[in-house]
Amino acid sequence: MYYVGVAAYAPYLQLYYGSVGITVAGVGALSAFSSLIALVSAPIWGAISDRNPESRFLIPLASMIAAFGGLSVGTVGGSPLIVPSVACFSMGLAGTGPMMDVLVLHMTSADRSRYASVRVFGSLGFIVATPLIGFAIHQVYRDLFEVFIPFVLLAGFSSLVLPGRSRSVRSTGMMRAPGAVLRHRPITLFLVTALVGWIAIACKNPFLSIYLQSLGASSDQVGYVWSCQALLEVPVMVFFPQLARRFGAERLIVAGMAILVVRQTANAVFLSPTILIGFSLLQGVGYGLLLVGGISFVSQQAPKGTAATAQGILNATTFSLASIIGAGVGGQVAGILSLFAISAGLGALSVVLLSLVVLPGSAERIKAAAEAGGEQDSAEPAAIPAIVADVAAD
């Protein structure tokens, strides 16, 4: 339900901005401003959640704020009131998604790679909904909010039926949790290097729909491109746990970024919407590996009592800060340089940096995980829950 809501705004929000008279530079500025709000909001939501891990109402609260912001954005049009409306919209979304991720990671216990088996349903919802929404809204992009608002509310309140984070360690304080995460060297190095890759993605995302429209693509073709981007996320996420055990999450992160470079290069080379629909399939493979691998890596490295804060900081860095830099700068150079060529170059740099940071020692971790798996497989069935509980406690 949440990703049906995402499907309503992610491909079409920039087109809505354009339909109410906002320039390309203005679209970039609004995207950067939205990301700035999320950059501040996501760690705060995470710190509040870690301080109150048993609370069941934080996700519904965040979804209500996002829905109210969406209603306001769709009502005020191109007036100056769109600025506080976008702030409210972004603030709510910055809490809803990451807190859902943490809840799922908590439910998976020791094997964090199983997160992908749940996240795949988000990709399925996005794939099915995106072209349907494209057909429904046609050129009246304001209608996207009629889909977004009910689905984000349904997603938020549906979280109440899931088990809470009752076994989580309470953080020592809201102000200390972010510092504890950022002082942890493996996470800090990963965030810095991953930021380069996510800037490469953010260079193009806010302008992809506008670019396709300039090539003569219809609204349903725009929807197909975004839907196809998510199509191969499904098998990637279904098989991610097996791939991670075989190759290691670290290698999958690097491979994901390399695949995205190929797709970004295609955007700069080909000018046919039909061809770009085909190349958009690569996005799902690369994005799925990069996203789930990063979430799993940070989850495994997070200090005790900082699970939600760590995911909030990851979300703030890879989505918000990357978008501030990528979309903000991209909106200014869109008419001068090829954003997609810049995106491909930054992506290639990220492949090198990520390789230097996450690959050393990955072979040893794969071997250790395989040995641990073998020991667990040979254990008596009655002992397995105790083993899982012990690992989770550690």
Side-chain angles (χ1 to χ4, degrees):
M1 288 185 286
Y2 176 69
Y3 279 94
V4 170
V6 172
Y9 79 85
Y12 308 113
L13 185 59
Q14 287 73 31
L15 297 178
Y16 166 72
Y17 289 155
S19 72
V20 296
I22 298 174
T23 64
V24 172
V27 171
L30 276 177
S31 297
F33 173 70
S34 175
S35 299
L36 176 63
I37 297 299
L39 176 66
V40 176
S41 301
I44 293 175
W45 280 113
I48 294 172
S49 180
D50 282 331
R51 186 60 177 166
N52 305 279
E54 73 286 348
S55 176
R56 306 291 298 278
F57 296 100
L58 288 174
I59 295 176
L61 174 62
S63 72
M64 287 191 292
I65 294 173
F68 178 77
L71 176 64
S72 182
V73 171
T75 302
V76 302
S79 74
L81 290 175
I82 198 168
V83 175
S85 301
V86 167
C88 183
F89 177 77
S90 181
M91 185 187 302
L93 288 175
T96 307
M99 286 193 291
M100 286 181 173
D101 287 340
V102 171
L103 187 58
V104 173
L105 287 164
H106 177 78
M107 293 165 62
T108 61
S109 191
D111 188 1
R112 302 303 172 86
S113 65
R114 291 170 55 209
Y115 162 83
S117 302
V118 178
R119 173 60 175 77
V120 68
F121 288 94
S123 297
L124 286 170
F126 187 92
I127 290 165
V128 173
T130 303
L132 295 177
I133 294 170
F135 278 117
I137 66 177
H138 295 294
Q139 300 298 321
V140 186
Y141 298 112
R142 187 186 304 270
D143 292 347
L144 71 89
F145 299 103
E146 295 180 4
V147 179
F148 170 78
I149 292 170
F151 274 94
V152 75
L153 288 173
L154 283 170
F157 282 93
S158 293
S159 69
L160 294 174
V161 306
L162 299 175
R165 296 170 58 205
S166 57
R167 303 191 311 275
S168 294
V169 177
R170 184 189 295 268
S171 69
T172 56
M174 288 176 51
M175 303 303 293
R176 297 179 182 178
V181 173
L182 293 175
R183 284 193 299 270
H184 192 58
R185 189 169 180 270
I187 291 182
T188 302
L189 289 175
F190 174 75
L191 290 175
V192 171
T193 53
L195 176 62
V196 178
W198 286 97
I199 289 174
I201 297 171
C203 278
K204 67 178 182 62
N205 274 353
F207 310 101
L208 180 59
S209 297
I210 297 172
Y211 174 67
L212 291 168
Q213 197 176 54
S214 72
L215 296 178
S218 60
S219 60
D220 55 300
Q221 284 182 309
V222 172
Y224 280 129
V225 168
W226 283 85
S227 180
C228 287
Q229 285 187 162
L231 187 61
L232 291 186
E233 285 181 22
V234 174
V236 167
M237 292 183 180
V238 167
F239 294 106
F240 188 89
Q242 294 91 328
L243 291 171
R245 284 190 288 271
R246 175 65 179 84
F247 300 104
E250 296 87 351
R251 293 176 182 175
L252 297 181
I253 292 170
V254 175
M257 192 67 245
I259 293 170
L260 288 174
V261 171
V262 177
R263 190 276 164 96
Q264 291 155 352
T265 302
N267 283 333
V269 173
F270 300 103
L271 302 178
S272 168
T274 304
I275 294 176
L276 293 179
I277 288 174
F279 270 100
S280 65
L281 291 169
L282 294 176
Q283 180 83 8
V285 180
Y287 187 84
L289 294 174
L290 185 64
L291 175 70
V292 179
I295 289 172
S296 299
F297 181 85
V298 170
S299 177
Q300 291 167 350
Q301 295 287 340
K304 286 184 178 181
T306 65
T309 304
Q311 293 300 327
I313 291 174
L314 174 66
N315 189 82
T317 302
T318 57
F319 290 111
S320 304
L321 183 57
S323 295
I324 292 170
I325 299 171
V329 175
Q332 305 305 314
V333 303
I336 304 172
L337 301 173
S338 170
L339 287 177
F340 302 114
I342 296 173
S343 176
L346 287 173
L349 175 61
S350 179
V351 171
V352 176
L353 295 176
L354 284 170
S355 299
L356 294 174
V357 169
V358 303
L359 290 186
S362 61
E364 289 76 7
R365 286 189 287 271
I366 296 170
K367 182 179 179 180
E371 291 174 352
E375 292 171 3
Q376 193 170 40
D377 290 342
S378 63
E380 292 295 327
I384 291 177
I387 293 172
V388 173
D390 289 341
V391 173
D394 291 341

